[in-house]
Amino acid sequence: MDFINIPLFAAGALVFLSVLSGLVSTRVGFSFLLVFLVAGMLAGEDGPGGLRFDDFVLSFWVANVSLAVILLDGGLRTGYPTFRTGLKPATGLATAGVALSAAITGMAGMWLLDLEWPMALLLGAIVGSTDAAAVFSLLKSSGVSLNERVAATLEIESGMNDPMAVYLTLAMIAWVKASLGGEHLGLAGLLALMVQQFGWGAVVGLGGGFALSWLLPRLAARTELRAGPLALLLVSAGLAVFSASGWLGGSGFLAVYLFGLVVGNRSAALVRDALWAMDGYAWLSQAAMFLLLGLLVTPSQMLQTLWPALGVSVVLMVVARPLAVWLCLAPFRFRAREVWFVSWVGLRGAVPIVLAVFPVMAGVPGAALFFNVAFVVVLTSLLLQGTTIAYAARKLHVALPGKGEERLARAVYGDFVLDARMPVGEVCAFYGLPAPERGHEPLGRWLAQELGRPPVVGDMLVLGPAHLSVREMNGPDIRVVGLRFLQPLADSGD
């Protein structure tokens, strides 16, 4: 039985030590995901563990299953109301933003790694998207509460951009193989692949979501549907949707995220009790995926292209991602601080490493280079961006006040509490503020129109010597407004 016991002991000990190290490392700002990745490297053939592992097929299979579970968990937790503020900007980032990041990163690959244009674009497609596992995990563990606009945009983007990254990677692989064979791949073929990927992914995901959300209340009425079996039912159905979409030629990533989104909102009362178990499945998936991908890498080979790979990572973090974010968010009137934060939290995790396996399995010449570069990009992203999320959120003032942060609460929410139904003209007259046009309008409605974007808690507007801020929301409407003077009031002579 040693062929079972020894590998099982090694796997259990590795996961146990990784989790233990992760609990300690989070106190100094390092993420669990980085710890799992490094633990896999240390257990590999170049580390103290000395385990030789090069099974790309098994790693690819485990990583896809893990990502499906993580995206399902993210979809189940994303409420429809967040789409009010996050859907449009996130869609732009997940489509045009990924393509633009890939193109700019590809140019860096041509220069730093001496790649031909098709190969450089393939590298850009592999590392061009943010990672749902990294974003969901690190936003939750950062200890800060972001304003709804930023949080919704980041979460929806990370859940939706994997399909675009997969499509670009498959399209570039097809282009590279066609060019190597002396053939020409037309634009019509690339567009057909896009329609197929997104079309089948949306149809299967939404169809499966509506079907299960119809079934769950009827099942709960006739059986004792406990949280544990319900979570297992959700995971198994999500994996079935993921694989069915892929079998039909669609995007499994898009399908499973949309499936979770529909079920999580249409059956919210039932699903809520199962989320604690889903959290466990998601963490297990992340641990297995990052450990296995860490085992797969050979650091001695990675060192051969370390400096060019670091250059690619720097270009991606400080040029490609910020430029793409600024262009995609320009129509939505985000504050500059919010745009800089979204730019910085372009976290790369397991997805680039998984996508780097695609060209290896497709037999693309020199595909090992993509895997090594992707691994360097992920390590630097988790090390630099992942460990500074909380600091960046507070520094850029996109974090909402927590307990014990009275000074920050005053800066965000103001000193005076105003009913948003009061006429804005009366408020201005009482506090000696400049009288705006449309003074008869309710304060909340006027403030929302002046902001020019869907309001969220924490939004501010300068009116003369005062700050008006959104303190409470009632659905899409402002309920309570805060007021803070930026300078002392003039002496009235009283």
Side-chain angles (χ1 to χ4, degrees):
M1 297 293 288
D2 286 350
F3 76 96
I4 293 178
N5 293 328
I6 292 177
L8 186 60
F9 172 80
L14 187 58
V15 173
F16 176 81
L17 292 174
S18 299
V19 173
L20 194 63
S21 302
L23 291 171
V24 176
S25 67
T26 52
R27 295 180 63 86
V28 295
F30 291 104
S31 75
F32 261 108
L33 307 184
L34 182 61
V35 172
F36 288 137
L37 206 58
V38 172
M41 293 173 62
L42 293 175
E45 61 180 296
D46 280 359
L51 297 175
R52 183 177 178 82
F53 181 80
D54 57 0
D55 193 335
F56 281 90
V57 175
L58 175 62
S59 302
F60 183 76
W61 189 88
V62 171
N64 274 272
V65 171
S66 300
L67 285 172
V69 174
I70 292 164
L71 285 168
L72 171 62
D73 181 62
L76 290 170
R77 297 173 189 274
T78 303
Y80 284 157
T82 64
F83 278 64
R84 177 182 64 89
T85 55
L87 179 60
K88 291 181 180 179
T91 301
L93 289 174
T95 52
V98 173
L100 184 56
S101 294
I104 297 173
T105 307
M107 286 188 268
M110 289 183 64
W111 176 50
L112 295 168
L113 294 163
D114 196 26
L115 295 173
E116 297 293 329
W117 183 234
M119 295 286 280
L121 280 180
L122 175 55
L123 174 63
I126 288 170
V127 301
S129 71
T130 61
D131 183 76
V135 172
F136 292 153
S137 173
L138 293 176
L139 285 181
K140 282 192 285 187
S141 63
S142 64
V144 296
S145 177
L146 302 175
N147 77 51
E148 182 187 342
R149 181 180 301 106
V150 173
T153 299
L154 286 170
E155 291 179 5
I156 297 173
E157 178 209 3
S158 66
M160 293 177 63
N161 67 11
D162 288 349
M164 186 64 176
V166 172
Y167 161 72
L168 288 176
T169 301
L170 293 175
M172 291 304 105
I173 289 175
W175 186 18
V176 167
K177 298 197 75 173
S179 63
L180 290 175
E183 301 174 2
H184 175 69
L185 184 64
L187 180 61
L190 295 177
L191 292 177
L193 178 61
M194 175 184 283
V195 172
Q196 175 181 306
Q197 284 271 306
F198 287 84
W200 278 118
V203 169
V204 175
L206 293 174
F210 281 107
L212 187 63
S213 60
W214 174 87
L215 175 64
L216 284 180
R218 289 161 177 79
L219 191 62
R222 291 170 173 80
T223 64
E224 187 178 356
L225 192 58
R226 296 180 180 177
L230 176 57
L232 187 58
L233 187 68
L234 291 170
V235 169
S236 58
L239 292 177
V241 165
F242 176 83
S243 56
S245 178
W247 180 58
L248 292 169
S251 170
F253 296 116
L254 178 62
V256 76
Y257 180 74
L258 293 177
F259 170 80
L261 183 68
V262 172
V263 174
N265 284 273
R266 291 179 62 87
S267 302
L270 289 171
V271 170
R272 189 180 302 114
D273 294 334
L275 288 180
W276 65 268
M278 286 301 307
D279 193 51
Y281 286 132
W283 272 107
L284 179 61
S285 299
Q286 291 180 82
M289 177 172 57
F290 278 84
L291 282 172
L292 203 59
L293 294 176
L295 275 171
L296 198 61
V297 74
T298 305
S300 58
Q301 296 178 5
M302 189 172 63
L303 290 174
Q304 298 173 10
T305 55
L306 177 61
W307 293 110
L310 285 173
V312 170
S313 183
V314 169
V315 170
L316 179 59
M317 285 191 292
V318 304
V319 179
R321 169 72 178 179
L323 181 58
V325 170
W326 276 96
L327 290 176
C328 291
L329 296 186
F332 301 104
R333 300 188 67 176
F334 275 60
R335 291 183 295 171
R337 295 172 184 267
E338 295 172 334
V339 178
W340 281 119
F341 184 77
V342 173
S343 300
W344 184 242
V345 190
L347 294 164
R348 269 65 191 174
V351 170
I353 304 176
V354 175
L355 293 180
V357 178
F358 279 47
V360 174
M361 297 182 65
V364 175
L369 173 66
F370 300 126
F371 189 82
N372 292 330
V373 172
F375 207 90
V376 172
V377 168
V378 170
L379 280 178
T380 52
S381 178
L382 291 177
L383 187 61
L384 296 178
Q385 296 172 306
T387 58
T388 56
I389 287 180
Y391 173 79
R394 294 188 176 98
K395 194 71 175 177
L396 293 171
H397 303 291
V398 297
L400 297 178
K403 293 182 179 180
E405 295 181 308
E406 288 80 8
R407 183 177 178 182
L408 180 59
R410 177 179 177 272
V412 174
Y413 295 136
D415 298 308
F416 304 99
V417 180
L418 307 175
D419 189 329
R421 295 172 297 181
M422 298 172 60
V424 62
E426 293 183 12
V427 172
C428 292
F430 182 83
Y431 287 100
L433 301 176
E437 297 180 2
R438 311 188 314 276
H440 63 283
E441 288 189 358
L443 176 60
R445 186 190 305 168
W446 176 85
L447 179 55
Q449 291 174 347
E450 290 297 309
L451 289 170
R453 55 182 183 259
V456 297
V457 173
D459 270 342
M460 295 184 189
L461 181 74
V462 176
L463 181 62
H467 258 163
L468 293 175
S469 60
V470 180
R471 289 185 66 120
E472 291 183 23
M473 297 287 299
N474 182 21
D477 302 319
I478 299 174
R479 180 181 177 185
V480 179
V481 176
L483 183 146
R484 178 172 68 92
F485 284 95
L486 304 176
Q487 60 191 39
L489 290 171
D491 187 0
S492 61
D494 292 340

